[in-house]
């Protein structure tokens, strides 16, 4: 599937074979069997072109990954705990990508006007800014605690 997604267009067994052979020795029939299996499973569609087929991914790699994550999450007996554990495994870059994705899904939110560092009343506090659900998840574990608030990284 990696090769099919890589080209993002219909590919032949020969094209996949030649690409794979740059890294290792592999038989034409092996590639043909794998692509046929992927077709039978519904991951790729194929269209006849002469005596060969052209194979094309049914969904994007991102959509496939999302479906796998959703399936794993929905099969959990405690989805909130599963998410907290998953977030805990993420790198800082992955958490930032998650924050970006949440912002994209939520849509534009009102942001406070930029504050002038020199104000008439320097002791005045800036208005509070709501944290996103990713930065401050309202998820409690079985003990009623918020694991993210108990030492997990919640800021940038």
């Amino acid at each position: 599937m990696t090769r099919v997604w890589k080209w993002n267009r219909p590919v032949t067994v020969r094209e996949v074979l030649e690409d794979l052979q740059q890294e290792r020795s592999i038989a034409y029939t092996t590639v043909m069997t794998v692509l046929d299996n992927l077709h039978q499973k519904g991951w790729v569609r194929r269209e006849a072109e002469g005596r060969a087929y052209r194979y094309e991914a049914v969904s994007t790699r991102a959509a496939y990954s999302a479906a796998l994550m959703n399936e794993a999450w929905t099969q959990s007996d405690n989805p909130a705990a599963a998410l907290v554990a998953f977030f805990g495994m993420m790198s800082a870059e992955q958490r930032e990508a998650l924050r970006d994705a949440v912002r994209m899904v939520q849509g534009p939110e009102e942001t406070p006007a930029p504050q002038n560092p020199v104000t008439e009343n320097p002791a005045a506090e800036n208005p509070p800014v709501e944290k996103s659900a990713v930065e401050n998840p309202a998820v409690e574990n079985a003990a009623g605690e918020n694991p993210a608030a108990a030492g997990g990284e919640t800021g940038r």
Side-chain angles (χ1 to χ4, degrees):
M1 279 307 300
T2 300
R3 305 303 165 139
V4 176
W5 282 321
K6 176 180 150 183
W7 285 307
N8 197 28
R9 63 170 175 79
V11 296
T12 64
V13 172
R14 178 73 54 202
E15 288 173 315
V16 175
L17 174 71
E18 289 172 359
D19 191 41
L20 288 170
Q21 285 182 332
Q22 292 176 18
E23 298 172 13
R24 64 180 186 269
S25 178
I26 189 167
Y28 180 93
T29 54
T30 301
V31 176
M32 184 175 61
T33 300
V34 169
L35 285 169
D36 185 58
N37 288 342
L38 290 171
H39 176 257
Q40 290 177 20
K41 290 179 180 184
W43 292 15
V44 296
R45 62 180 146 258
R46 67 183 180 194
E47 196 168 306
E49 184 176 279
R51 293 177 39 192
Y53 286 108
R54 283 205 172 267
Y55 294 86
E56 182 176 22
V58 170
S59 69
T60 65
R61 180 179 220 145
Y64 174 72
S65 296
L68 286 177
M69 289 187 287
N70 186 56
E71 182 181 343
W73 183 54
T74 57
Q75 289 180 3
S76 172
D77 60 346
N78 187 343
L83 282 175
V84 170
F86 180 62
F87 297 157
M89 293 179 208
M90 293 176 146
S91 68
E93 293 81 20
Q94 290 170 322
R95 285 190 300 274
E96 185 60 32
L98 179 61
R99 287 183 194 101
D100 291 343
V102 168
R103 282 191 284 274
M104 288 172 34
V105 169
Q106 288 177 340
E109 296 182 26
E110 287 190 34
T111 56
Q115 297 296 313
N116 185 347
V118 180
T119 63
E120 292 179 23
N121 183 2
E125 293 183 25
N126 290 333
V129 177
E130 273 188 28
K131 291 184 178 182
S132 74
V134 173
E135 293 168 331
N136 188 12
V139 176
E140 295 181 354
N141 62 19
E145 302 167 331
N146 181 339
E153 181 178 332
T154 59
R156 291 191 177 135

